[in-house]
Amino acid sequence: MSQKTYVHGYSVRESERLSDQAQTLTGLLHDDTRYPAGSRVLEAGCGIGAQTVILAKNSPGSLITSVDISQESIRVAGERVRAEGITNVTFQTGDILNLMFEPESFDHIFVCFVLEHLAKPQRALEQLRPLLKKGGTITVIEGDHGSAFFHPGSADAQKAISCLVKLQQEMGGNALIGRQLFPLLTAAGFSDVHVSPRMVYVDASRPALVEGFTKLTFTAMVEGVGDAALRQGLISKEAWDQGIRDLYRTAEPDGVFCYTFFKATGYRDERMTGQKE
Amino acid sequence: MSQKTYVHGYSVRESERLSDQAQTLTGLLHDDTRYPAGSRVLEAGCGIGAQTVILAKNSPGSLITSVDISQESIRVAGERVRAEGITNVTFQTGDILNLMFEPESFDHIFVCFVLEHLAKPQRALEQLRPLLKKGGTITVIEGDHGSAFFHPGSADAQKAISCLVKLQQEMGGNALIGRQLFPLLTAAGFSDVHVSPRMVYVDASRPALVEGFTKLTFTAMVEGVGDAALRQGLISKEAWDQGIRDLYRTAEPDGVFCYTFFKATGYRDERMTGQKE
């Protein structure tokens, strides 16, 4: 394809190509979160630091406090961050429902893949809000397993995914929380809530996503609950095996896989902050 | 929210806001299709001209030939286009599977909401390909009813949507075709196929879409097949009524509705054109 034909033809192509370059999962979810130098950022629920590293690199001048309830996770996250040469993150153990910070300690709060595991996500958001300064923002990123669809379609694959949703529900979580971010943040008192869906669309023209997302991220995650699903009798062995095969089938050259993450931002309600202190 | 706080805070907000302005359905689907002045464009399957008007206005210098199998549709489309003062469209009746144009008659082909109604969509694409000049492009836009998910979730609403999918299948169509555009265009011989999903995400912060998409477009469309679905016994009256109520429920202030269209572009394979004539 010559450059000439390309320019002559079709402006959509260029913008699509450029957007493809950013269409790794990290780019898709994180590239538009950049905090100013000097701003104080709380990462609530950092786990073993997978998002911490991205957050810190995208906002190298910010001062990040990353909190998790698990001391062991904090230890691993700390090692990870040090291994990357990152110096703008401090770690603390703490319960997201009962954090020991002074009110208005932070300019921004970042919460990624955390609410899905909480029995009371709205309560967690309500607890976080007073920690923000006036005009401060919260950013929340969550997946939604009910957003997955694919070609070829497969009822067994959908059943296998449903097992994961049920098991997460039994543990007090919600694997369908992505779609609920707007009502959740609004109900928790944040203002000017804005949600943007981020679909991971995978076909054979995007081989890194076929491997990295369809197979190694999503299907591997579903596969991981196989023993539990079968033990609890949520699905037959035959349907499970077929479902997993069908998920891998979507990674073939004529297959397609779609999954949507949701990214929400909201502000601490300024009308309320006048009444503080 | 002062401009100062806004700039200080968060670059994502601005880009989100700007993208919102383009986030009417027309903007979402059509804004990045602009054909150069003088280029010859075939709109294959124009129906009553709903897309023709948008296409012609976005590419006022192009020469558009819009074709449909129904003479009555062509008549209505012609009136519509004249009423808008559009002068760069000519209409012809014709079967998309057997069009009477010379090979290489067009620089670009545009196909929107057509393949979903065809029993042999790949065959249609194969028939269209030789009508393109070397390096010419095809653009295809289709919905996918299996992409719909929402909050609050509802099994009855999903069942009601499935009725629409089944009925369209009985009529020889495929309401789940959006996700298949990559393999379809590739199998039909187009090269460098690129698909971009276009999710319509609707929450209470987007009232025009709540009204215009969730209620008046999607739910009204599902509602429209109620008689046929009940007559054929595809669903119980109770489940149907509840499903429709649940779809409208997603348009309440704490509801969310998601639906994905797919837009594909491909080139006539230049490696093949060397062997022509």
Side-chain angles (χ1 to χ4, degrees):
Chain A
M1 194 62 53
S2 73
Q3 184 63 19
K4 211 169 160 206
T5 315
Y6 180 56
V7 169
H8 174 255
Y10 225 65
S11 68
V12 60
R13 310 289 304 186
E14 181 60 13
S15 61
E16 298 286 17
R17 269 168 217 279
L18 289 174
S19 84
D20 272 4
Q21 291 169 13
Q23 206 141 60
T24 61
L25 197 54
T26 298
L28 188 71
L29 300 181
H30 293 278
D31 266 4
D32 54 355
T33 299
R34 310 273 173 174
Y35 298 117
S39 60
R40 298 188 172 273
V41 177
L42 170 64
E43 185 194 11
C46 65
I48 57 170
Q51 318 303 321
T52 312
V53 170
I54 303 163
L55 193 66
K57 285 185 175 176
N58 283 347
S59 300
S62 67
L63 307 164
I64 301 172
T65 304
S66 293
V67 171
D68 201 87
I69 199 168
S70 157
Q71 197 150 10
E72 173 60 13
S73 291
I74 289 287
R75 193 189 59 74
V76 177
E79 279 178 10
R80 195 164 189 162
V81 157
R82 277 189 298 277
E84 296 274 351
I86 292 165
T87 57
N88 62 329
V89 180
T90 54
F91 290 95
Q92 291 189 28
T93 53
D95 180 354
I96 196 172
L97 287 167
N98 188 27
L99 290 173
M100 296 291 133
F101 298 105
E102 292 294 311
E104 305 193 12
S105 292
F106 298 100
D107 299 291
H108 305 288
I109 296 179
F110 183 81
V111 187
C112 185
F113 305 146
V114 173
L115 299 186
E116 61 169 323
H117 301 296
L118 304 179
K120 295 181 177 174
Q122 184 182 324
R123 177 96 184 112
L125 293 169
E126 287 165 352
Q127 296 292 98
L128 289 173
R129 201 172 64 81
L131 304 184
L132 277 177
K133 293 180 191 167
K134 296 172 188 178
T137 72
I138 189 166
T139 297
V140 182
I141 302 175
E142 295 288 345
D144 190 314
H145 296 354
S147 74
F149 62 100
F150 32 83
H151 175 74
S154 158
D156 286 329
Q158 291 292 0
K159 273 184 220 159
I161 296 167
S162 295
C163 291
L164 176 53
V165 172
K166 278 178 207 155
L167 289 165
Q168 193 157 340
Q169 198 172 15
E170 281 177 19
M171 301 197 309
N174 180 0
L176 311 177
I177 203 165
R179 72 188 76 174
Q180 299 184 33
L181 292 186
F182 180 84
L184 273 173
L185 268 76
T186 302
F190 290 97
S191 65
D192 204 10
V193 175
H194 182 95
V195 172
S196 97
R198 311 279 165 113
M199 181 185 283
V200 184
Y201 167 82
V202 190
D203 63 32
S205 70
R206 308 174 191 216
L209 285 175
V210 171
E211 208 55 32
F213 190 77
T214 305
K215 291 160 86 170
L216 296 179
T217 300
F218 188 83
T219 305
M221 176 181 66
V222 176
E223 237 179 334
V225 302
D227 289 344
L230 292 170
R231 205 181 314 123
Q232 295 202 20
L234 297 178
I235 190 169
S236 73
K237 179 84 169 76
E238 293 65 38
W240 177 265
D241 289 344
Q242 188 61 47
I244 298 298
R245 273 196 300 274
D246 290 348
L247 285 174
Y248 281 112
R249 171 69 183 82
T250 69
E252 295 295 307
D254 64 345
V256 173
F257 191 89
C258 303
Y259 183 93
T260 302
F261 295 91
F262 291 83
K263 184 166 186 172
T265 54
Y267 287 80
R268 173 162 180 174
D269 192 330
E270 291 186 288
R271 286 165 302 179
M272 309 292 287
T273 53
Q275 298 156 8
K276 281 204 66 273
E277 290 167 354
Chain B
M1 195 62 50
S2 73
Q3 184 63 19
K4 212 169 160 208
T5 314
Y6 179 56
V7 170
H8 173 253
Y10 226 65
S11 70
V12 60
R13 309 290 306 185
E14 180 60 14
S15 62
E16 296 286 16
R17 268 167 218 280
L18 290 173
S19 84
D20 273 5
Q21 292 168 14
Q23 206 142 58
T24 61
L25 197 54
T26 298
L28 188 71
L29 300 182
H30 293 278
D31 267 4
D32 54 356
T33 299
R34 311 272 172 174
Y35 298 117
S39 59
R40 298 189 171 273
V41 178
L42 170 65
E43 185 193 12
C46 65
I48 58 171
Q51 318 303 322
T52 312
V53 170
I54 302 163
L55 193 67
K57 286 184 174 177
N58 282 348
S59 301
S62 68
L63 306 164
I64 301 172
T65 303
S66 293
V67 170
D68 201 86
I69 198 168
S70 157
Q71 196 150 12
E72 173 59 14
S73 290
I74 289 287
R75 191 188 60 73
V76 177
E79 279 178 7
R80 197 165 186 160
V81 157
R82 277 189 297 278
E84 297 274 350
I86 291 166
T87 56
N88 61 330
V89 179
T90 54
F91 290 96
Q92 290 189 29
T93 53
D95 180 355
I96 196 172
L97 288 168
N98 188 27
L99 291 173
M100 296 291 134
F101 298 105
E102 291 294 311
E104 306 193 11
S105 292
F106 299 99
D107 298 291
H108 304 289
I109 297 180
F110 183 80
V111 187
C112 186
F113 304 145
V114 173
L115 299 186
E116 61 169 322
H117 300 296
L118 304 180
K120 296 181 177 175
Q122 184 183 324
R123 177 98 184 113
L125 292 169
E126 286 165 353
Q127 296 292 99
L128 290 172
R129 202 172 63 82
L131 304 184
L132 277 177
K133 293 180 191 167
K134 297 172 189 178
T137 73
I138 189 166
T139 297
V140 182
I141 302 174
E142 295 288 345
D144 190 314
H145 295 355
S147 74
F149 63 101
F150 32 83
H151 174 73
S154 158
D156 286 328
Q158 291 292 1
K159 273 183 219 160
I161 295 167
S162 295
C163 290
L164 176 53
V165 172
K166 278 178 207 154
L167 290 165
Q168 193 158 339
Q169 198 172 13
E170 282 177 19
M171 302 197 308
N174 180 2
L176 310 178
I177 203 167
R179 71 189 75 174
Q180 300 184 33
L181 292 186
F182 180 84
L184 273 173
L185 268 77
T186 302
F190 290 96
S191 65
D192 205 10
V193 175
H194 181 97
V195 172
S196 97
R198 311 279 165 114
M199 181 185 282
V200 185
Y201 166 83
V202 191
D203 64 32
S205 71
R206 309 177 190 212
L209 285 175
V210 171
E211 209 53 35
F213 189 77
T214 306
K215 291 160 87 171
L216 297 179
T217 300
F218 188 82
T219 305
M221 176 182 65
V222 176
E223 238 179 333
V225 302
D227 289 345
L230 292 170
R231 206 180 315 121
Q232 295 202 21
L234 297 178
I235 190 170
S236 73
K237 178 86 169 76
E238 293 64 38
W240 177 265
D241 289 345
Q242 188 61 48
I244 298 297
R245 274 196 299 274
D246 289 348
L247 284 174
Y248 281 113
R249 171 68 184 82
T250 69
E252 295 296 307
D254 63 346
V256 173
F257 191 89
C258 303
Y259 183 93
T260 301
F261 295 90
F262 291 82
K263 185 166 186 172
T265 54
Y267 287 81
R268 172 162 180 176
D269 192 330
E270 292 185 286
R271 287 165 300 179
M272 309 293 286
T273 53
Q275 298 158 8
K276 280 203 68 274
E277 287 167 357

